[in-house]
Amino acid sequence: IYADRKCVYLSRPNDDNSPQIDAVDKETEAVLARFSDQFVLRMHPRQKDLRVGAMAPDLSRSSWELMCIDEITEDHVLVGEFSTAQVIPKFIFDKEPWIIFFYPIYREDFAVSQTAVDKMVEDLRNSYRRPEKVVTVYRLEDLDAAVKQVQQAAMAESAKG
């Protein structure tokens, strides 16, 4: 499925069972559902069930690291709040897929140190040969436009060969 759909939504479980985080999850997933026919849904291993529009669920039991070796290319777009799965292609395999982080949307409800996450994202961006391939979305209302813009850029890059 990764050959046919170049966008991958890397979900995360709400281990805190926080209603505020659940609400933001639903809002971000509603935006991503608009593009769902172009996405693969890769659920977090601790997540039991999730459906987002027409996203094709990755039902394989393969580890993400193995998927990155064989399936994930520099034309892929990895979308998620903030996941180590988004950085594995670069830091383990030196592949540079497009990445869209939207963790700042959760800032008010998220307990982790945002400064540390910001630094990790900036380090990742600085490690890319083309830093513009690492995008951070700060507001929910900007997520739709970011996905469209990155998809168009990825398709144009892919068409060049």
Side-chain angles (χ1 to χ4, degrees), residues 15 21-22 28 30 58 63 70 106 124 132 143 150-151 156:
D15 293 335
I21 290 176
D22 277 343
T28 56
D58 177 350
S63 74
D70 296 328
Y106 290 81
L124 174 67
E132 69 274 12
L143 184 57
V150 168
Q151 279 184 320

Side-chain angles (χ1 to χ4, degrees), residues 97-110:
W98 292 83
I99 298 178
I100 300 175
F101 292 109
F102 55 79
Y103 67 91
I105 295 171
Y106 290 81
R107 245 182 227 280
E108 295 168 5
D109 301 313
F110 210 66

Side-chain angles (χ1 to χ4, degrees), residues 84-156:
T84 55
Q86 289 170 285
V87 302
I88 284 173
K90 175 61 179 172
F91 290 143
I92 296 181
F93 304 107
D94 199 31
K95 290 183 178 182
E96 296 185 357
W98 292 83
I99 298 178
I100 300 175
F101 292 109
F102 55 79
Y103 67 91
I105 295 171
Y106 290 81
R107 245 182 227 280
E108 295 168 5
D109 301 313
F110 210 66
V112 224
S113 165
Q114 292 301 317
T115 305
V117 176
D118 289 341
K119 172 130 180 48
M120 290 173 60
V121 169
E122 191 58 30
D123 289 347
L124 174 67
R125 185 176 288 115
N126 290 335
S127 75
Y128 262 56
R129 292 177 287 283
R130 292 188 45 223
E132 69 274 12
K133 290 181 75 172
V134 179
V135 175
T136 303
V137 177
Y138 293 88
R139 299 175 330 141
L140 180 66
E141 48 273 16
D142 298 332
L143 184 57
D144 184 278
V147 171
K148 285 179 189 170
Q149 182 179 2
V150 168
Q151 279 184 320
Q152 289 172 350
M155 287 191 315

Side-chain angles (χ1 to χ4, degrees), residues 4-28:
D4 298 327
R5 296 181 181 218
K6 295 295 185 182
C7 295
V8 182
Y9 172 43
L10 298 160
S11 71
R12 66 160 195 87
N14 179 2
D15 293 335
D16 301 330
N17 292 317
S18 161
Q20 294 88 356
I21 290 176
D22 277 343
V24 177
D25 285 345
K26 286 182 185 358
E27 291 175 322
T28 56

